[in-house]
Amino acid sequence: MHVKMVPMAKKTHRIERRTDALSRERIIAAAIEILDTDGEAALTVRALAAHLATGSGAIYWHVADKNELLAAATDAIIARVMSEVAGGAEPREAIRAVALGVFDAIDVHPWVGAQLFREPWRPAMLEIIEGVGGRLQALGVPHAAQFDAASALVHYILGVAGQNAANARVHAPDTDRSAFLASVAAQWAALDPARYPFVRQMATRLRDHDDREQFLAGVDLILAGIGTVR
Amino acid sequence: MHVKMVPMAKKTHRIERRTDALSRERIIAAAIEILDTDGEAALTVRALAAHLATGSGAIYWHVADKNELLAAATDAIIARVMSEVAGGAEPREAIRAVALGVFDAIDVHPWVGAQLFREPWRPAMLEIIEGVGGRLQALGVPHAAQFDAASALVHYILGVAGQNAANARVHAPDTDRSAFLASVAAQWAALDPARYPFVRQMATRLRDHDDREQFLAGVDLILAGIGTVR
DNA sequence: CAATACAATGGAACATCGTTCCATAATCCA
DNA sequence: TGGATTATGGAACGATGTTCCATTGTATTG
């Protein structure tokens, strides 16, 4: 059952619409809220309808389908990130800032990491490519190498993003992360030394590493590689 | 009670089963066949049961759930790739070979690209990490930098893998790829030059680029970066 | 002001999915 | 041989995304 708002003055012309009217923006905002608080799997059309105190059909009047909803939510998050980064810093620092912005956004909204892979021509991906690639020219990267350089950086960012999204999907929303890392590290350490010598050696590093620092180390590594073709 | 059974040798325990008996291996093989020919979305438990001429319940006797089935199928593909690569080539070439092996495998089995992100402690991911990281030591990468270097390479490979998987998901199974690239390139070229100058410039490169070559260029870029910390 | 057209709503209904349950069949073991 | 165990196949369940449609609210028109 639902409680309707009481239209107080019905004699005068009420230009304003009902204050609880649905809109594409309100739907996207509600979707983001559900995704952030309860995870990717919790965003069902029914849950969304309940959260908005409406029915499923009303949602489909404003949004084509769930895919479009997720894509729009992703675009909203990434656009916000890129506008916050902006700035006219030194190009190398700007690239790091863009990458870290995306990383941090996915830390807060893990579902974005999975969405970035779908429909790469959507605004979200364009923003990232532009944010990274736009600074490569200022870095002095030869024109012929800019496409490869931007592609490498963006794909690396995507890889980390997807991995973080996957990790968030596996965990309970607030599982102790260090406990999880320790458990995987223990599995690695218990592997057959003859078959997996490297992975075994990396077990302790996996346990102690900081995701954010390591992500940045990867960006720096790629930037160093880009520097060699200057 | 007398024994009138067939000669029941302890070691020759071979009683023939029905030749069409199900098995975990047959189920995984059938799943891979459906995934490869009809795409990720076509793999439903019902389709799989029909393909094996059995019922859904029988499948669940051999396999825990669909996740495990997909993970096992992924492990099978990646294990095959890594055993084929192997070889004692020069480390730099070996890393390129491993990366290309994964790339080519995902070109044939796009669904693998999406699966690699789930449960990174599974055999498939271990194989890749070991295949890449194991050669870094031989490359002369300092011990302290090996974790970051391997992580960067693997995440880059993952990013490309996920992107290719997404592309394959969007296309009809045999859509003309160059036509698709041309259409996206046209969209890029039509963007606002003030907002997306870099993406616009890259449009023609996007149209003409070769995925495989560009992937390798990224690997080389990262290897070059790794070389700077030697 | 009444009548009407249209945007918007909410919930029932539908097809499909992964999974569970269970009656049965096939096979093994004592 | 007979009971126990393994294996099978299909019905049934709950949940999902989506469509359909009767109904409501609002704006426009005669």
Side-chain angles (χ1 to χ4, degrees):
Chain A
M1 96 179 63
H2 68 135
V3 182
K4 284 204 194 291
M5 290 286 162
V6 193
M8 282 305 176
K10 69 188 214 176
K11 47 184 178 184
T12 63
H13 274 276
R14 306 288 291 185
I15 306 178
E16 67 193 55
R17 300 201 162 218
R18 30 186 301 200
T19 56
D20 64 335
L22 277 181
S23 72
R24 187 178 159 90
E25 286 68 30
R26 274 195 12 127
I27 292 175
I28 293 174
I32 292 178
E33 194 174 321
I34 293 178
L35 287 166
D36 286 348
T37 59
D38 298 326
E40 227 168 328
L43 180 67
T44 69
V45 180
R46 282 167 180 80
L48 187 57
H51 195 275
L52 289 164
T54 181
S56 349
I59 291 175
Y60 279 86
W61 177 260
H62 299 273
V63 165
D65 54 19
K66 203 184 165 185
N67 264 345
E68 196 205 85
L69 178 59
L70 280 165
T74 303
D75 291 345
I77 299 286
I78 294 296
R80 193 184 311 162
V81 170
M82 299 315 262
S83 74
E84 284 170 0
V85 172
E90 185 262 345
R92 193 186 161 84
E93 270 313 310
I95 290 176
R96 291 169 51 120
V98 168
L100 269 186
V102 175
F103 181 91
D104 289 339
I106 287 165
D107 198 54
V108 182
H109 318 279
W111 50 274
V112 170
Q115 283 303 313
L116 284 180
F117 284 101
R118 316 181 188 275
E119 316 186 21
W121 56 90
R122 296 218 39 135
M125 190 60 64
L126 290 186
E127 297 276 356
I128 296 176
I129 298 176
E130 184 68 36
V132 166
R135 271 84 175 197
L136 288 176
Q137 308 182 327
L139 248 189
V141 177
H143 197 264
Q146 287 175 12
F147 190 49
D148 287 346
S151 160
L153 276 168
V154 169
H155 279 130
Y156 169 72
I157 294 173
L158 278 185
V160 177
Q163 193 65 259
N164 284 5
N167 288 342
R169 202 180 303 125
V170 173
H171 296 348
D174 52 353
T175 301
D176 185 5
R177 175 178 158 71
S178 66
F180 168 72
L181 274 186
S183 114
V184 175
Q187 292 184 37
W188 281 22
L191 289 172
D192 176 11
R195 231 174 108 69
Y196 299 101
F198 178 78
V199 174
R200 247 181 69 93
Q201 281 189 359
M202 292 299 123
T204 65
R205 293 184 182 269
L206 173 72
R207 175 161 46 79
D208 300 332
H209 89 289
D210 177 85
D211 271 351
R212 203 166 182 272
E213 281 178 16
Q214 196 190 350
F215 169 71
L216 208 50
V219 173
D220 288 340
L221 221 42
I222 299 177
L223 284 175
I226 292 173
T228 64
V229 290
R230 188 178 314 186
Chain B
M1 45 187 78
H2 40 111
V3 180
K4 72 172 192 178
M5 291 301 282
V6 271
M8 175 185 152
K10 290 193 219 169
K11 40 185 178 181
T12 60
H13 189 254
R14 297 191 51 79
I15 308 289
E16 66 193 60
R17 298 205 162 210
R18 24 186 310 197
T19 58
D20 64 335
L22 277 180
S23 72
R24 188 179 158 89
E25 287 68 30
R26 277 200 1 131
I27 293 175
I28 293 174
I32 291 178
E33 194 174 320
I34 293 178
L35 287 165
D36 285 348
T37 60
D38 297 327
E40 226 168 329
L43 181 66
T44 68
V45 179
R46 282 168 180 80
L48 187 56
H51 195 275
L52 289 164
T54 181
S56 349
I59 291 176
Y60 280 86
W61 178 259
H62 298 272
V63 165
D65 55 20
K66 204 184 164 185
N67 265 344
E68 196 205 85
L69 179 59
L70 280 165
T74 303
D75 291 345
I77 299 285
I78 294 297
R80 194 184 311 163
V81 169
M82 300 314 263
S83 74
E84 284 170 0
V85 172
E90 185 264 344
R92 194 186 161 84
E93 270 312 310
I95 290 176
R96 290 169 51 120
V98 168
L100 269 185
V102 175
F103 180 91
D104 288 339
I106 288 165
D107 198 53
V108 182
H109 317 281
W111 49 275
V112 171
Q115 284 303 315
L116 284 180
F117 284 101
R118 317 181 187 274
E119 316 187 21
W121 55 90
R122 295 218 41 133
M125 191 60 64
L126 290 187
E127 297 276 355
I128 296 176
I129 298 176
E130 183 67 37
V132 166
R135 270 84 177 197
L136 288 176
Q137 309 183 327
L139 248 188
V141 177
H143 197 266
Q146 286 176 12
F147 190 50
D148 286 346
S151 160
L153 276 168
V154 169
H155 280 130
Y156 170 72
I157 294 173
L158 278 185
V160 176
Q163 193 65 259
N164 284 5
N167 289 342
R169 202 180 302 124
V170 173
H171 295 349
D174 54 351
T175 302
D176 185 6
R177 175 179 157 72
S178 66
F180 169 71
L181 273 185
S183 115
V184 176
Q187 292 184 36
W188 282 21
L191 288 172
D192 176 11
R195 232 174 107 68
Y196 300 101
F198 178 78
V199 174
R200 245 181 70 92
Q201 283 189 359
M202 293 298 124
T204 65
R205 293 183 182 270
L206 175 72
R207 176 162 43 79
D208 301 331
H209 90 289
D210 176 85
D211 271 351
R212 203 165 182 272
E213 282 177 15
Q214 197 189 349
F215 170 70
L216 208 50
V219 173
D220 288 339
L221 220 43
I222 299 177
L223 284 175
I226 292 173
T228 65
V229 289
R230 188 177 316 187

